[in-house]
Amino acid sequence: MNVLLIGSGGREHALAWKIAQSPEIGELLAVPGNPGIAEHARIVQLDVADAAALATFCADNAIGLVVIGPEQPLVDGLADVLAEAGIPVFGPSRAAARLEGSKGFTKDLCTLHDIPTARYRRFSDAAQARDYVNAGGVPIVVKADGLAAGKGVTVAETREEAIAAVNACFEGDFGGPGAEVVVEEFLEGEEASLFCICDGERALFFGTAQDHKRAFDRDRGPNTGGMGAYSPALPMTDAVTRRVMREIVEPTLAGMKSAGAPFRGVLYVGLMLTETGPKLIEYNVRFGDPECQVLMMRLKSDVLPILLAAANGDVSGLRPEWSDERALTVVMAADGYPGTYARGTAIRSLPGSGPQMRIFHAGTSRTDAGLVATGGRVLNVTATGTTVKEAARRAYEAVEAVDWTEGFWRTDIGHRAIMTEA
Ligand code: AMP
Ligand code: GLY
């Protein structure tokens, strides 16, 4: 089978690496890809935003499955255009992608179906939102309604900070007609994520992970897309997992189906493990980046039939097998990320990958002068081990062997799990 993969990050490199190992694969193609993906796939020069051109390309090249990595094309309705053209697609419709594309939509779904989440109010008027913030306590959480590339959430310690966040949601990039804000209760606890492969009705548990969102060690500095992750997440015991499936995932799938927007694809369940049980922080409608990298390192089964089953609407016969090992990934980012950073700095050499260590490309380009860094998050140095500690040691050894001087990374990925293991 020929497969077209959409995306250009470390998440898509990990997917490409895994899909390319499938005995079922004919040709793997990628749009727009990156130099790491190019080791496993033929890169096609097409515009991801041009859904009609992609559909024509798929028909002309006998593509049997399109795998959509990032959220933007899903929220824009790429899966709908491909499905209308009769092309199987891994990833939800535009209507189902509202689980990530609109925080207000998801919060209302939680209310309707009694899904545990932070108490909240939605506002389309800045003054009313400010009054609400002024009447309540802190900390409080302010969220722009739509996709905001990780910049839409403010955990405000003071009312002033909360008011500034409300104002920002109605101005600039987030503002304009239809702007909306969700103001919600601050939840205390440990964060973890759970993944499910969904076929519109059923959810197949697909592992857990913990990300590290802040830029610097000890969870300091600005929020990022994720500076490193490990899997499985230590606090996600079987009992917690079962509870999340029963109280959060299953009612969500049933609710989406009854709303006429059945969810197909991977559901990323962002959780806060509170004293009173797991609560939903947010949904994403695609694999996490860098969480996908650690999941793919642990997955023993062929990934292609799993993605295809979700696309074709029946995951019931699947039993994915996982390695008993832990996996951990360290994100090497360009100096300045998540703010402004230099592009085009030289990556002079990378250590070779092996069965227990693999470097995924996240933001690189190949030029006449060699490999260069072009993104904020540049490389994902990923390793496995019997313990999180061993996986971390292996990953950090490889990080030290990367010859690129304009980057930084966190030195404490997996620290909480490592402390618990000891
Ligand atoms: P998001 O951009 O939606 O992933 O949110 C960014 C981060 O904000 C999350 O990973 C949490 O750490 C934090 N966050 C979001 N909502 C809440 C909440 N209700 N209570 C506490 N922290 C939150
Ligand atoms: N690593 C967080 C995300 O993919 O949204």
Side-chain angles (χ1 to χ4, degrees):
M1 169 182 297
N2 297 337
V3 174
L4 177 66
L5 174 65
I6 309 284
S8 63
R11 167 180 51 208
E12 290 78 21
H13 184 186
L15 286 168
W17 167 71
K18 192 68 191 161
I19 294 169
Q21 294 172 55
S22 171
E24 312 288 328
I25 191 76
E27 192 178 20
L28 177 60
L29 304 103
V31 177
N34 72 31
I37 295 170
E39 291 171 19
H40 313 285
R42 174 159 68 91
I43 304 298
V44 182
Q45 307 293 340
L46 279 173
D47 180 2
V48 173
D50 190 346
L54 286 171
T56 305
F57 177 85
C58 290
D60 292 348
N61 290 273
I63 299 294
L65 178 69
V66 179
V67 178
I68 304 177
E71 62 275 17
Q72 190 69 56
L74 293 166
V75 170
D76 291 345
L78 177 56
D80 305 64
V81 174
L82 295 171
E84 271 161 37
I87 299 147
V89 45
F90 180 79
S93 66
R94 180 206 298 259
R98 281 180 296 172
L99 284 177
E100 177 165 359
S102 167
K103 298 199 187 292
F105 171 82
T106 299
K107 297 300 286 191
D108 286 355
L109 185 90
C110 289
T111 304
L112 198 60
H113 300 283
D114 233 355
I115 296 166
T117 189
R119 285 191 305 272
Y120 72 104
R121 287 277 300 273
R122 296 175 73 169
F123 296 97
S124 50
D125 178 83
Q128 282 176 14
R130 283 193 295 265
D131 288 347
Y132 180 75
V133 165
N134 277 324
V138 285
I140 192 150
V141 183
V142 178
K143 302 185 171 184
D145 182 70
L147 283 189
K151 296 187 189 111
V153 176
T154 303
V155 178
E157 303 287 345
T158 63
R159 282 204 187 123
E160 291 67 34
E161 222 184 312
I163 299 285
V166 166
N167 291 340
C169 288
F170 289 99
E171 288 161 7
D173 289 351
F174 304 134
E180 228 193 90
V181 62
V182 170
V183 181
E184 70 178 35
E185 170 199 13
F186 173 76
L187 296 176
E188 261 179 286
E190 193 167 355
E191 276 184 67
S193 328
L194 176 147
F195 299 85
C196 290
I197 303 286
C198 306
D199 64 9
E201 266 178 58
R202 286 155 295 236
L204 177 74
F205 170 69
F206 205 64
T208 62
Q210 263 181 322
D211 190 10
H212 299 60
K213 291 237 164 94
R214 301 297 194 101
F216 309 130
D217 282 3
R218 296 190 297 283
D219 295 322
R220 303 211 177 143
N223 255 316
T224 70
M227 292 298 291
Y230 78 94
S231 170
L234 228 59
M236 292 298 294
T237 59
D238 288 349
V240 175
T241 294
R242 274 197 301 274
R243 189 163 172 189
V244 172
M245 295 301 287
R246 190 177 62 240
E247 294 181 4
I248 298 180
V249 174
E250 282 160 18
T252 296
L253 283 203
M256 292 301 284
K257 191 178 170 211
S258 66
F263 185 87
R264 284 185 184 181
V266 56
L267 189 62
Y268 169 139
V269 189
L271 297 163
M272 189 69 87
L273 307 177
T274 74
E275 263 180 7
T276 56
K279 292 192 176 171
L280 178 72
I281 299 181
E282 58 159 357
Y283 278 129
N284 293 314
V285 298
R286 34 81 190 170
F287 280 111
D289 189 348
E291 293 92 328
C292 185
Q293 290 81 315
V294 283
L295 292 180
M296 290 305 121
M297 285 293 267
R298 287 186 48 238
L299 181 64
K300 288 209 287 196
S301 306
D302 182 358
V303 76
L304 186 49
I306 298 173
L307 304 176
L308 194 62
N312 289 335
D314 186 3
V315 300
S316 58
L318 300 172
R319 298 280 174 277
E321 277 187 55
W322 301 92
S323 154
D324 290 331
E325 292 211 312
R326 319 276 147 185
L328 181 141
T329 188
V330 178
V331 173
M332 298 183 76
D335 288 338
Y337 172 79
T340 51
Y341 50 84
R343 285 162 215 259
T345 57
I347 302 169
R348 286 174 200 87
S349 77
L350 297 177
S353 293
Q356 288 186 297
M357 195 290 290
R358 187 154 291 283
I359 297 187
F360 296 114
H361 291 235
T364 70
S365 294
R366 184 78 62 192
T367 67
D368 291 343
L371 191 67
V372 297
T374 46
R377 294 188 292 173
V378 175
L379 298 167
N380 308 141
V381 182
T382 313
T384 56
T386 334
T387 56
V388 180
K389 187 176 181 179
E390 189 184 282
R393 183 184 50 73
R394 204 166 267 135
Y396 280 111
E397 260 171 37
V399 165
E400 294 299 335
V402 170
D403 188 359
W404 174 48
T405 46
E406 288 84 1
F408 75 101
W409 57 90
R410 278 181 63 155
T411 65
D412 64 348
I413 301 303
H415 62 286
R416 265 203 225 99
I418 292 169
M419 264 160 35
T420 314
E421 276 174 347

